[in-house]
Amino acid sequence: MCGIAGLTSHRPAAALQSHLAPSLACLRRRGPDDQGVEIWQGPGHSVALGHTRLSVIDLTEAAHQPMTSADGRFVLVFNGEIYNYRELRQALEARGCRFRSASDTEVLLQAWIEWGEAALPRFVGMFAFVLLDRRTGDLHGARDAFGIKPLYYRADSEGLAFASEVPALRAMLPHPAELDWQTSYDYLVHGRYETGERTFFRDVVALPPGQCFSYSFESRQMTLRSWWRPTIAVAPRLSFDDAAEALRSRLLDSVRLHLRSDVPLGAALSGGVDSSAIVGCMRHLEPDAPIHTFSFIAANSAVSEEQWVDQVNTETGATAHKVFIQPSELVADLDDMIATQGEPFGSTSIYAQYRVFQLAREHGVTVTLDGQGADELCGGYVGYPGPRVRSLLDEGQWAGAVAFLREWGRWPGRAGLEGFKAAVAEYTSESAYQALRRMNGADVCPPWLDGRALADAGVALRFPREVPAQTAPGRRLVAELARSLHGVGLPGLLRHGDRNSMRFSVESRVPFLTTELADFLLTLPEEYLVSPQGETKHLLRRAMRGLVPDEILDRRDKIGFATPEQAWLLQMAPQVREWLRYPLNLPFFRQDEVLKAFDQVVAGQRPFSWQVWRWINFTRWHAQHFAG
């Protein structure tokens, strides 16, 4: 796991070193074990590539990056892991390739030389890489299918600059940062972020998941291509039991690959179904190996999952490590966490994850596995009632749809009316959807925003709505799951995990997120994922019987690394007020109204919501990046 950065320019190669150095300094925690730079002077332009390394596979100098091919033509910088590198190496050796290291980096390089872009679907792993072709002077790169590893860039008349994190990219750019007002509005009002290529900076773009690119300095053109999209067409039907057995086998195979490491590893354990499944698979595959788990425990709180964490650790014989957090600790760590994330984020649960990775590093663990992605692939969260009902109705199953809504609403934490609203939303036009949101009490422009200033700047003041593309009848649920892999949902969660783990030089691995598992799960009958009784992750629960305690699999709630956010923030009210008073001098952000609204929350005159955290996060983040 590493950090990568680079830039092209018409200036002489010697001038690029000073631009690259501050970027690599921003990435030092992503790669504290080694650093390398390659600067190449071509006809009419130069290229600088930089790398910071966290050594995980092949700890020797032979795996140093940037890595150059034996013939000197290609130079690679790579962030991530290719878990099936041993199998790919054997295939490449059978084709005559010779290797100088035992690293997955060299396997990736040789695979690209041998197969080009056709190598990408062969990789089981997480990756973002850029490769220089010295013969043509072009750059090529790619990001893994789910966007587990990040890559940001700016392409303009000067050339191309890229990096693993936004601050590292910004450090290479000569002009001041500019705030993207649309992204800021969407976050502040609707809580949306990581929804596509746009970032909170107007001049920084994220390479989308599952895409590769070519960049020609001669034409200054960046060409993007999609190398993977999820498949949702129905595959040959398996019985439910056969599908459960197939899922069990595939997940075990994935965990087996993800356990490959030359350094100590453990697991992030929340006590929910997903992370417990990963720990259960680890124990099944390695009956005698030591397993260390790392958990956040919300002490004296209704959202505490300690009893479930303890049960999983007892059943698997794992060594438990727990972190308990006081509000004062959040105050102390807030600015570092916000700087770590690089852009605003959704809730204080990200702090719980931040502390879990810190705990892992304190105990000498460099690699962790966790259950991220299971909700999106297996039909989790609250079971996607709207899309599931639409699938049933589109197939003419009116009685089945009514029965599903009735059963769905009986689960804890669900209101039957919410399921009905979600189903109605599936059939409403865009204009009707906007009207219904307003009738339901939502406000597209709260008093603490200046709607005129936003509108004059071209900001769309509306309730955002993402819907999957048209699908065959009966496939609306899996289409929504597929959309969430690259739209609202998973990308934000993966960003949180990547930045928090890298802050403490820990590599976080997510065995659920492989293209094989995605293409298997999203081609199954929908009732296998969300049962007619409204049970989420129906197939996964069956597949994990015998590997995970039944009490965990039979849970009817979902918590995750949830924090007692309201209690924390209200205890911190004086400090929060000071944060919110910091002058941002933003024409659209009425801080006096924000302070008034916050005081109403503290006084109990206004309901507490995640809005409070968005105010805090945005003001502290803006102060870090735009002060003065």
Side-chain angles (χ1 to χ4, degrees), residues 269-329:
L269 176 64
S270 71
V273 172
D274 309 338
S275 60
S276 299
I278 297 301
V279 175
C281 287
M282 291 171 68
R283 174 53 73 215
H284 179 79
L285 293 165
E286 300 285 352
D288 302 316
I291 295 177
H292 291 262
T293 67
F294 303 92
S295 307
F296 160 72
I297 304 300
N300 303 315
S301 170
V303 297
S304 174
E305 294 195 279
E306 187 169 19
Q307 62 171 317
W308 309 112
V309 167
D310 290 344
Q311 184 161 9
V312 173
N313 286 322
T314 298
E315 291 284 338
T316 60
T319 300
H321 306 276
K322 302 175 183 178
V323 60
F324 302 82
I325 300 173
Q326 297 298 321
S328 59
E329 295 174 276

Side-chain angles (χ1 to χ4, degrees), residues 489-548:
L490 185 62
L493 299 174
L494 293 175
R495 189 249 281 184
H496 306 153
D498 172 80
R499 305 307 189 278
N500 280 335
S501 61
M502 289 286 90
R503 164 61 180 84
F504 300 103
S505 303
V506 172
E507 176 176 294
S508 175
R509 297 178 175 181
V510 282
F512 277 103
L513 291 177
T514 69
T515 56
E516 180 185 6
L517 274 168
D519 289 335
F520 170 68
L521 286 161
L522 299 183
T523 57
L524 292 172
E526 291 189 350
E527 63 268 22
Y528 287 11
L529 303 179
V530 180
S531 78
Q533 290 73 41
E535 181 182 58
T536 61
K537 290 179 273 198
H538 185 42
L539 186 71
L540 177 63
R541 295 172 194 263
R542 174 68 66 86
M544 292 295 100
R545 296 288 174 185
L547 300 182
V548 175

Side-chain angles (χ1 to χ4, degrees), residues 275-487:
S275 60
S276 299
I278 297 301
V279 175
C281 287
M282 291 171 68
R283 174 53 73 215
H284 179 79
L285 293 165
E286 300 285 352
D288 302 316
I291 295 177
H292 291 262
T293 67
F294 303 92
S295 307
F296 160 72
I297 304 300
N300 303 315
S301 170
V303 297
S304 174
E305 294 195 279
E306 187 169 19
Q307 62 171 317
W308 309 112
V309 167
D310 290 344
Q311 184 161 9
V312 173
N313 286 322
T314 298
E315 291 284 338
T316 60
T319 300
H321 306 276
K322 302 175 183 178
V323 60
F324 302 82
I325 300 173
Q326 297 298 321
S328 59
E329 295 174 276
L330 174 58
V331 172
D333 289 336
L334 182 75
D335 282 346
D336 183 74
M337 178 177 61
I338 289 174
T340 293
Q341 284 296 314
E343 297 181 270
F345 51 93
S347 75
T348 54
S349 66
I350 310 311
Y351 181 56
Q353 185 189 65
Y354 170 101
R355 293 292 300 275
V356 163
F357 286 121
Q358 182 182 47
L359 184 69
R361 192 63 183 182
E362 288 171 352
H363 285 83
V365 168
T366 308
V367 174
T368 61
L369 277 63
D370 74 38
Q372 198 64 265
D375 281 299
E376 289 77 10
L377 290 179
C378 299
Y381 298 119
V382 296
Y384 301 87
R388 181 59 188 137
V389 167
R390 177 157 185 172
S391 285
L392 291 166
L393 293 178
D394 287 353
E395 291 185 314
Q397 299 187 45
W398 292 84
V402 171
F404 174 82
L405 280 177
R406 182 178 63 248
E407 295 299 319
W408 179 91
R410 290 176 175 170
W411 286 69
R414 302 178 188 174
L417 185 59
E418 293 305 313
F420 176 76
K421 288 180 179 179
V424 170
E426 287 288 321
Y427 291 95
T428 57
S429 65
E430 179 61 23
S431 59
Y433 176 81
Q434 298 292 322
L436 286 171
R437 288 295 305 273
R438 289 186 176 89
M439 290 171 59
N440 204 37
D443 190 349
V444 76
C445 188
W448 42 269
L449 289 181
D450 187 326
R452 177 170 294 180
L454 288 166
D456 288 347
V459 173
L461 304 179
R462 56 189 297 276
F463 298 107
R465 185 188 191 193
E466 289 193 30
V467 295
Q470 288 295 111
T471 59
R475 305 302 289 168
R476 186 69 170 193
L477 168 59
V478 291
E480 176 62 22
L481 297 180
R483 185 209 58 73
S484 71
L485 296 176
H486 291 168

Side-chain angles (χ1 to χ4, degrees), residues 201-330:
F201 297 89
R202 290 183 60 185
D203 57 354
V204 174
V205 178
L207 182 69
Q211 291 207 6
C212 57
F213 74 86
S214 297
Y215 178 80
S216 167
F217 188 86
E218 181 178 351
S219 65
R220 308 290 205 279
Q221 292 296 312
M222 181 91 161
T223 305
L224 301 181
R225 296 171 296 279
S226 176
W227 69 264
W228 182 80
R229 289 190 179 94
T231 301
I232 61 173
V234 181
R237 190 177 181 104
L238 294 172
S239 71
F240 184 75
D241 287 339
D242 287 345
E245 184 58 38
L247 174 56
R248 182 188 182 100
S249 175
R250 283 170 168 81
L251 184 56
L252 284 168
D253 285 345
S254 180
V255 172
R256 182 182 292 109
L257 289 178
H258 283 71
L259 287 173
R260 289 178 172 174
S261 172
D262 294 333
V263 294
L265 53 78
L269 176 64
S270 71
V273 172
D274 309 338
S275 60
S276 299
I278 297 301
V279 175
C281 287
M282 291 171 68
R283 174 53 73 215
H284 179 79
L285 293 165
E286 300 285 352
D288 302 316
I291 295 177
H292 291 262
T293 67
F294 303 92
S295 307
F296 160 72
I297 304 300
N300 303 315
S301 170
V303 297
S304 174
E305 294 195 279
E306 187 169 19
Q307 62 171 317
W308 309 112
V309 167
D310 290 344
Q311 184 161 9
V312 173
N313 286 322
T314 298
E315 291 284 338
T316 60
T319 300
H321 306 276
K322 302 175 183 178
V323 60
F324 302 82
I325 300 173
Q326 297 298 321
S328 59
E329 295 174 276
L330 174 58

